[in-house]
Amino acid sequence: MKFNRLNDLYFKRLLGDKRRKNFTLNFLNAMLDRDENNYFTDITFLDKDNEPDTIDGKLSKLDIRADMNDGTQIEIEVQVLPFKLMAERSLFYWSKMYAEQLNKSERYKKLKRTVAINLLNFDYLIEEKEWHNVYALLNIKSHRKLTDHMEIHFAEIPKFKLKDIRKMRASETWMAYFSGNYDDKELEELSMNKPIMKEVMDFERSFLMDKMQRREYEQREKALRDYYSYMDETFEDGYDKGFGKGKMEGKMEGRIEGKMEGRIEGRKEGKIEEINEIALRMLKRGKELAEIVEDTGLSIEEVKKLQA
Protein backbone atom coordinates (compact mmCIF):
# COMPACT_ATOMS: atom_id res chain seq x y z
CA MET A 1 0.00 0.00 0.00
CA LYS A 2 1.25 3.49 -0.90
CA PHE A 3 2.56 5.39 2.12
CA ASN A 4 0.65 8.59 2.87
CA ARG A 5 3.16 11.19 4.06
CA LEU A 6 0.33 13.61 4.87
CA ASN A 7 -1.09 11.22 7.45
CA ASP A 8 -1.47 13.51 10.48
CA LEU A 9 0.27 11.09 12.84
CA TYR A 10 3.32 10.78 10.57
CA PHE A 11 3.41 14.48 9.68
CA LYS A 12 3.48 15.51 13.32
CA ARG A 13 6.25 13.03 14.12
CA LEU A 14 8.21 14.36 11.14
CA LEU A 15 7.84 18.14 11.54
CA GLY A 16 6.34 18.65 15.00
CA ASP A 17 8.99 17.02 17.19
CA LYS A 18 11.77 19.04 18.83
CA ARG A 19 14.14 16.09 18.30
CA ARG A 20 13.87 16.74 14.56
CA LYS A 21 13.59 20.51 14.56
CA ASN A 22 16.23 20.67 11.82
CA PHE A 23 13.57 19.21 9.49
CA THR A 24 11.04 21.88 10.52
CA LEU A 25 13.56 24.70 10.19
CA ASN A 26 14.50 23.53 6.71
CA PHE A 27 10.83 23.25 5.70
CA LEU A 28 9.95 26.73 7.01
CA ASN A 29 13.00 28.43 5.55
CA ALA A 30 12.15 26.84 2.21
CA MET A 31 8.43 27.69 2.26
CA LEU A 32 9.06 31.30 3.35
CA ASP A 33 11.93 31.66 0.86
CA ARG A 34 14.49 32.67 3.45
CA ASP A 35 18.14 33.06 2.48
CA GLU A 36 21.39 33.05 4.42
CA ASN A 37 20.75 36.63 5.56
CA ASN A 38 17.54 35.85 7.44
CA TYR A 39 17.39 32.08 8.02
CA PHE A 40 15.41 30.85 10.96
CA THR A 41 18.06 29.29 13.19
CA ASP A 42 15.95 27.96 16.06
CA ILE A 43 12.37 27.00 16.84
CA THR A 44 10.28 26.46 19.97
CA PHE A 45 7.19 24.29 19.54
CA LEU A 46 4.17 25.69 21.36
CA ASP A 47 1.43 23.70 23.07
CA LYS A 48 -1.56 23.28 20.79
CA ASP A 49 -4.54 25.18 22.21
CA ASN A 50 -6.93 24.96 19.30
CA GLU A 51 -8.36 21.45 19.21
CA PRO A 52 -10.13 20.60 15.93
CA ASP A 53 -13.80 21.51 16.17
CA THR A 54 -15.20 19.65 13.17
CA ILE A 55 -15.19 16.04 12.18
CA ASP A 56 -13.16 16.66 9.03
CA GLY A 57 -10.69 18.48 11.26
CA LYS A 58 -10.56 15.64 13.76
CA LEU A 59 -9.54 13.25 11.01
CA SER A 60 -7.39 15.40 8.83
CA LYS A 61 -6.40 18.67 10.47
CA LEU A 62 -3.08 19.20 12.14
CA ASP A 63 -1.69 22.29 13.80
CA ILE A 64 1.99 22.73 14.44
CA ARG A 65 2.47 26.01 16.27
CA ALA A 66 5.92 27.43 16.80
CA ASP A 67 7.84 30.46 17.97
CA MET A 68 10.90 31.23 15.82
CA ASN A 69 14.20 32.68 17.02
CA ASP A 70 13.30 36.16 15.70
CA GLY A 71 9.88 36.14 17.40
CA THR A 72 7.88 35.18 14.31
CA GLN A 73 4.83 33.07 15.17
CA ILE A 74 4.06 30.24 12.74
CA GLU A 75 1.26 27.73 12.39
CA ILE A 76 1.29 24.82 9.93
CA GLU A 77 -2.03 23.19 9.06
CA VAL A 78 -2.43 20.07 6.96
CA GLN A 79 -5.81 19.50 5.31
CA VAL A 80 -6.27 16.37 3.22
CA LEU A 81 -10.06 16.55 2.74
CA PRO A 82 -11.67 19.33 0.67
CA PHE A 83 -12.99 22.15 2.82
CA LYS A 84 -14.83 25.08 1.21
CA LEU A 85 -14.19 27.67 3.92
CA MET A 86 -10.45 27.12 4.17
CA ALA A 87 -9.68 30.84 3.87
CA GLU A 88 -12.08 31.77 6.64
CA ARG A 89 -10.79 29.03 8.92
CA SER A 90 -7.16 29.94 8.29
CA LEU A 91 -7.90 33.61 9.00
CA PHE A 92 -9.71 32.64 12.21
CA TYR A 93 -6.79 30.56 13.50
CA TRP A 94 -4.30 33.21 12.36
CA SER A 95 -6.22 35.88 14.32
CA LYS A 96 -6.28 33.76 17.49
CA MET A 97 -2.56 33.12 17.23
CA TYR A 98 -1.89 36.84 16.71
CA ALA A 99 -4.13 37.96 19.58
CA GLU A 100 -2.75 35.38 22.03
CA GLN A 101 0.66 37.06 21.89
CA LEU A 102 -0.59 39.81 24.24
CA ASN A 103 -1.68 39.51 27.83
CA LYS A 104 -4.01 42.04 29.42
CA SER A 105 -2.59 45.61 29.48
CA GLU A 106 0.43 44.70 27.29
CA ARG A 107 1.37 47.10 24.49
CA TYR A 108 0.80 46.47 20.80
CA LYS A 109 4.48 46.90 20.07
CA LYS A 110 5.03 43.44 21.53
CA LEU A 111 3.09 41.87 18.65
CA LYS A 112 5.23 39.88 16.22
CA ARG A 113 4.87 38.77 12.64
CA THR A 114 2.43 35.86 12.40
CA VAL A 115 2.39 33.37 9.52
CA ALA A 116 -0.10 30.62 8.67
CA ILE A 117 0.95 27.87 6.26
CA ASN A 118 -1.83 25.69 4.85
CA LEU A 119 -0.65 22.47 3.20
CA LEU A 120 -3.62 21.24 1.14
CA ASN A 121 -4.06 17.95 -0.65
CA PHE A 122 -6.80 19.33 -2.88
CA ASP A 123 -7.33 22.21 -5.33
CA TYR A 124 -8.72 25.17 -3.44
CA LEU A 125 -7.74 28.40 -5.20
CA ILE A 126 -9.42 27.55 -8.49
CA GLU A 127 -8.36 30.71 -10.33
CA GLU A 128 -4.71 30.41 -9.32
CA LYS A 129 -2.40 28.25 -11.43
CA GLU A 130 0.64 28.29 -9.15
CA TRP A 131 0.84 25.66 -6.38
CA HIS A 132 2.13 28.15 -3.78
CA ASN A 133 0.21 31.40 -3.16
CA VAL A 134 0.87 33.97 -0.43
CA TYR A 135 -1.62 36.53 0.93
CA ALA A 136 -0.97 39.67 2.99
CA LEU A 137 -2.64 43.00 3.89
CA LEU A 138 -2.24 45.30 0.88
CA ASN A 139 -3.61 48.62 -0.34
CA ILE A 140 -6.02 47.60 -3.13
CA LYS A 141 -4.91 50.58 -5.27
CA SER A 142 -1.16 50.90 -4.74
CA HIS A 143 -0.60 47.25 -3.68
CA ARG A 144 1.67 48.54 -0.91
CA LYS A 145 1.79 46.31 2.13
CA LEU A 146 0.20 47.72 5.27
CA THR A 147 2.28 45.55 7.61
CA ASP A 148 4.42 42.45 7.42
CA HIS A 149 2.68 41.04 10.53
CA MET A 150 0.10 39.12 8.49
CA GLU A 151 0.96 36.39 6.00
CA ILE A 152 -1.12 33.37 4.95
CA HIS A 153 0.25 30.68 2.62
CA PHE A 154 -1.67 28.10 0.63
CA ALA A 155 0.38 25.23 -0.81
CA GLU A 156 -1.84 23.06 -3.03
CA ILE A 157 -0.05 19.77 -3.61
CA PRO A 158 -2.17 18.59 -6.60
CA LYS A 159 -1.01 21.67 -8.55
CA PHE A 160 2.64 20.75 -8.05
CA LYS A 161 3.94 19.52 -11.39
CA LEU A 162 6.64 16.88 -11.76
CA LYS A 163 9.99 18.29 -12.78
CA ASP A 164 13.68 17.51 -12.93
CA ILE A 165 14.81 16.77 -9.38
CA ARG A 166 18.18 18.43 -9.99
CA LYS A 167 16.48 21.76 -10.79
CA MET A 168 14.12 21.93 -7.83
CA ARG A 169 14.06 24.79 -5.36
CA ALA A 170 14.08 23.89 -1.68
CA SER A 171 10.30 24.34 -1.30
CA GLU A 172 9.69 22.17 -4.39
CA THR A 173 11.81 19.43 -2.84
CA TRP A 174 9.41 19.22 0.10
CA MET A 175 6.37 19.23 -2.21
CA ALA A 176 7.91 16.43 -4.26
CA TYR A 177 8.31 14.41 -1.07
CA PHE A 178 4.78 15.01 0.24
CA SER A 179 3.13 14.54 -3.15
CA GLY A 180 3.95 10.82 -3.27
CA ASN A 181 4.36 11.09 -7.05
CA TYR A 182 8.02 10.12 -7.16
CA ASP A 183 9.16 6.51 -7.01
CA ASP A 184 11.89 5.12 -4.74
CA LYS A 185 14.61 5.58 -7.34
CA GLU A 186 13.69 9.24 -7.86
CA LEU A 187 13.53 9.85 -4.12
CA GLU A 188 16.96 8.31 -3.78
CA GLU A 189 18.22 10.80 -6.35
CA LEU A 190 16.46 13.55 -4.41
CA SER A 191 18.31 12.45 -1.27
CA MET A 192 21.64 12.60 -3.09
CA ASN A 193 20.97 16.17 -4.26
CA LYS A 194 19.44 17.43 -1.01
CA PRO A 195 21.21 16.11 2.15
CA ILE A 196 18.24 17.01 4.40
CA MET A 197 16.02 14.70 2.36
CA LYS A 198 18.32 11.77 3.06
CA GLU A 199 17.72 12.33 6.78
CA VAL A 200 13.98 12.61 6.13
CA MET A 201 13.94 9.33 4.19
CA ASP A 202 15.95 7.62 6.93
CA PHE A 203 13.36 8.76 9.47
CA GLU A 204 10.52 7.51 7.28
CA ARG A 205 12.13 4.05 7.10
CA SER A 206 12.58 3.91 10.87
CA PHE A 207 8.96 5.02 11.37
CA LEU A 208 7.67 2.24 9.14
CA MET A 209 9.84 -0.36 10.86
CA ASP A 210 8.38 0.53 14.27
CA LYS A 211 5.43 -1.85 14.67
CA MET A 212 3.53 0.36 17.10
CA GLN A 213 3.90 3.51 15.02
CA ARG A 214 2.95 1.59 11.88
CA ARG A 215 -0.20 0.32 13.61
CA GLU A 216 -1.17 3.81 14.75
CA TYR A 217 -0.59 5.09 11.23
CA GLU A 218 -2.82 2.37 9.74
CA GLN A 219 -5.61 3.21 12.20
CA ARG A 220 -5.50 6.81 11.07
CA GLU A 221 -5.67 5.76 7.43
CA LYS A 222 -8.65 3.52 8.18
CA ALA A 223 -10.48 6.44 9.79
CA LEU A 224 -10.02 8.47 6.62
CA ARG A 225 -11.17 5.58 4.40
CA ASP A 226 -14.30 5.25 6.55
CA TYR A 227 -14.94 8.96 6.15
CA TYR A 228 -14.60 8.83 2.36
CA SER A 229 -16.86 5.78 2.28
CA TYR A 230 -19.49 7.57 4.32
CA MET A 231 -19.30 10.61 2.03
CA ASP A 232 -19.82 8.42 -1.06
CA GLU A 233 -22.72 6.53 0.52
CA THR A 234 -24.41 9.75 1.61
CA PHE A 235 -24.14 11.33 -1.82
CA GLU A 236 -25.39 8.19 -3.56
CA ASP A 237 -28.32 7.98 -1.15
CA GLY A 238 -29.15 11.63 -1.79
CA TYR A 239 -29.07 11.28 -5.55
CA ASP A 240 -31.26 8.16 -5.35
CA LYS A 241 -33.85 10.28 -3.51
CA GLY A 242 -33.69 13.00 -6.15
CA PHE A 243 -31.61 15.66 -4.39
CA GLY A 244 -29.31 17.78 -6.57
CA LYS A 245 -25.59 18.11 -5.86
CA GLY A 246 -25.86 21.59 -4.34
CA LYS A 247 -28.71 20.59 -2.07
CA MET A 248 -26.89 17.45 -0.98
CA GLU A 249 -23.74 19.43 -0.15
CA GLY A 250 -25.79 21.80 1.98
CA LYS A 251 -27.51 18.97 3.81
CA MET A 252 -24.21 17.19 4.39
CA GLU A 253 -22.48 20.25 5.79
CA GLY A 254 -25.23 20.49 8.39
CA ARG A 255 -25.38 16.81 9.31
CA ILE A 256 -21.97 15.29 8.63
CA GLU A 257 -20.44 16.05 12.03
CA GLY A 258 -23.02 14.29 14.16
CA LYS A 259 -23.32 11.25 11.90
CA MET A 260 -19.58 10.81 11.51
CA GLU A 261 -18.95 11.24 15.22
CA GLY A 262 -21.49 8.49 15.89
CA ARG A 263 -19.87 6.26 13.29
CA ILE A 264 -16.39 6.78 14.71
CA GLU A 265 -17.64 6.36 18.27
CA GLY A 266 -19.23 3.05 17.32
CA ARG A 267 -15.99 1.85 15.78
CA LYS A 268 -14.05 2.96 18.85
CA GLU A 269 -16.37 1.01 21.15
CA GLY A 270 -15.89 -2.10 19.03
CA LYS A 271 -12.12 -1.80 19.29
CA ILE A 272 -11.75 -0.25 22.73
CA GLU A 273 -9.44 -2.98 23.96
CA GLU A 274 -7.14 -2.48 20.99
CA ILE A 275 -7.08 1.30 21.50
CA ASN A 276 -6.48 0.93 25.24
CA GLU A 277 -3.54 -1.35 24.49
CA ILE A 278 -2.01 1.28 22.22
CA ALA A 279 -2.57 3.97 24.85
CA LEU A 280 -0.91 1.81 27.52
CA ARG A 281 2.13 1.27 25.32
CA MET A 282 2.40 5.00 24.70
CA LEU A 283 2.21 5.64 28.45
CA LYS A 284 5.00 3.13 29.03
CA ARG A 285 7.09 4.94 26.44
CA GLY A 286 6.62 8.19 28.37
CA LYS A 287 4.37 9.96 25.85
CA GLU A 288 2.53 13.10 26.97
CA LEU A 289 -1.17 12.73 27.83
CA ALA A 290 -2.16 15.30 25.18
CA GLU A 291 -0.34 13.31 22.48
CA ILE A 292 -2.02 10.06 23.56
CA VAL A 293 -5.45 11.73 23.51
CA GLU A 294 -4.82 13.07 20.02
CA ASP A 295 -3.42 9.84 18.61
CA THR A 296 -5.99 7.42 20.07
CA GLY A 297 -9.20 9.44 20.24
CA LEU A 298 -9.58 8.64 23.96
CA SER A 299 -10.62 11.37 26.38
CA ILE A 300 -8.16 12.79 28.89
CA GLU A 301 -10.15 11.10 31.68
CA GLU A 302 -9.90 7.70 29.95
CA VAL A 303 -6.14 8.07 29.54
CA LYS A 304 -5.72 9.10 33.18
CA LYS A 305 -7.61 5.97 34.28
CA LEU A 306 -5.25 3.82 32.23
CA GLN A 307 -2.30 5.71 33.69
CA ALA A 308 -3.56 5.00 37.20
Side-chain angles (χ1 to χ4, degrees):
M1 185 181 294
K2 189 175 181 180
F3 181 57
N4 175 19
R5 298 185 177 104
L6 292 176
N7 174 283
D8 56 350
L9 179 73
Y10 175 73
F11 191 93
K12 184 174 182 179
R13 302 277 166 85
L14 179 73
L15 292 184
D17 193 315
K18 62 184 180 181
R19 293 170 296 180
R20 287 174 288 280
K21 65 181 182 180
N22 61 314
F23 292 173
T24 319
L25 287 169
N26 188 280
F27 174 80
L28 292 175
N29 282 320
M31 292 300 295
L32 302 185
D33 199 24
R34 295 238 168 180
D35 59 26
E36 62 272 9
N37 296 317
N38 62 354
Y39 275 147
F40 291 131
T41 57
D42 200 7
I43 181 172
T44 301
F45 292 102
L46 305 175
D47 291 335
K48 190 173 69 172
D49 304 315
N50 303 325
E51 289 302 320
D53 55 4
T54 60
I55 193 62
D56 66 286
K58 187 177 291 184
L59 286 174
S60 58
K61 178 178 176 294
L62 168 71
D63 286 329
I64 294 177
R65 296 186 62 183
D67 184 5
M68 310 309 294
N69 58 283
D70 66 352
T72 299
Q73 304 288 297
I74 292 183
E75 178 182 57
I76 306 170
E77 177 177 338
V78 174
Q79 184 69 31
V80 299
L81 299 178
F83 188 71
K84 287 183 178 180
L85 302 178
M86 198 67 218
E88 289 81 356
R89 183 160 79 182
S90 184
L91 186 59
F92 174 73
Y93 284 123
W94 176 91
S95 65
K96 289 190 72 174
M97 185 166 54
Y98 191 65
E100 286 169 0
Q101 294 181 49
L102 289 187
N103 295 317
K104 189 175 181 180
S105 301
E106 288 186 322
R107 297 184 178 183
Y108 294 121
K109 67 180 182 179
K110 288 191 65 177
L111 290 167
K112 300 292 185 180
R113 181 173 178 236
T114 303
V115 180
I117 299 175
N118 299 286
L119 192 57
L120 310 180
N121 201 28
F122 59 93
D123 289 336
Y124 175 65
L125 303 170
I126 305 302
E127 296 181 358
E128 302 291 349
K129 294 182 179 180
E130 297 292 326
W131 66 268
H132 187 187
N133 292 280
V134 185
Y135 294 84
L137 284 174
L138 303 174
N139 183 310
I140 60 174
K141 292 183 178 179
S142 68
H143 291 180
R144 293 190 184 92
K145 189 180 291 188
L146 177 65
T147 174
D148 67 351
H149 275 209
M150 180 184 184
E151 195 168 291
I152 298 179
H153 294 242
F154 291 95
E156 300 168 274
I157 293 177
K159 289 182 181 177
F160 177 75
K161 294 184 171 45
L162 299 179
K163 59 188 301 183
D164 188 335
I165 287 173
R166 293 166 295 182
K167 298 179 181 179
M168 284 184 183
R169 301 195 309 270
S171 59
E172 293 173 325
T173 299
W174 281 102
M175 290 307 104
Y177 174 73
F178 287 123
S179 73
N181 293 329
Y182 289 82
D183 59 30
D184 291 343
K185 184 177 179 181
E186 289 170 319
L187 287 175
E188 193 64 35
E189 183 180 352
L190 187 66
S191 299
M192 292 171 60
N193 284 276
K194 306 287 184 180
I196 189 69
M197 298 314 295
K198 182 180 186 308
E199 293 183 53
V200 169
M201 293 301 298
D202 287 342
F203 170 72
E204 179 183 311
R205 281 187 281 269
S206 67
F207 176 89
L208 291 172
M209 288 175 65
D210 185 307
K211 290 183 180 180
M212 183 177 172
Q213 291 192 118
R214 183 65 181 259
R215 190 176 182 182
E216 293 168 350
Y217 160 83
E218 289 170 351
Q219 284 188 324
R220 290 290 188 158
E221 289 298 287
K222 185 179 185 305
L224 282 174
R225 288 195 299 272
D226 286 351
Y227 181 86
Y228 279 122
S229 176
Y230 176 78
M231 291 281 282
D232 290 342
E233 289 170 11
T234 305
F235 267 104
E236 287 174 7
D237 180 58
Y239 282 122
D240 287 343
K241 292 179 180 177
F243 294 115
K245 182 177 179 182
K247 192 170 183 180
M248 275 305 300
E249 287 178 345
K251 284 177 175 290
M252 286 182 66
E253 285 181 1
R255 299 182 316 190
I256 191 73
E257 286 187 33
K259 290 192 174 183
M260 271 304 295
E261 284 175 352
R263 192 183 183 99
I264 291 171
E265 203 58 36
R267 189 184 67 245
K268 188 172 81 173
E269 288 175 7
K271 294 189 174 182
I272 192 67
E273 291 183 6
E274 182 178 324
I275 294 173
N276 284 345
E277 182 183 343
I278 291 173
L280 283 167
R281 289 181 183 174
M282 294 181 75
L283 284 167
K284 290 177 181 177
R285 291 172 61 184
K287 298 293 184 180
E288 296 291 334
L289 294 185
E291 182 177 351
I292 298 172
V293 167
E294 182 175 353
D295 288 351
T296 63
L298 296 174
S299 68
I300 188 70
E301 291 77 15
E302 289 171 323
V303 176
K304 285 182 176 178
K305 285 182 181 179
L306 290 173
Q307 187 180 43

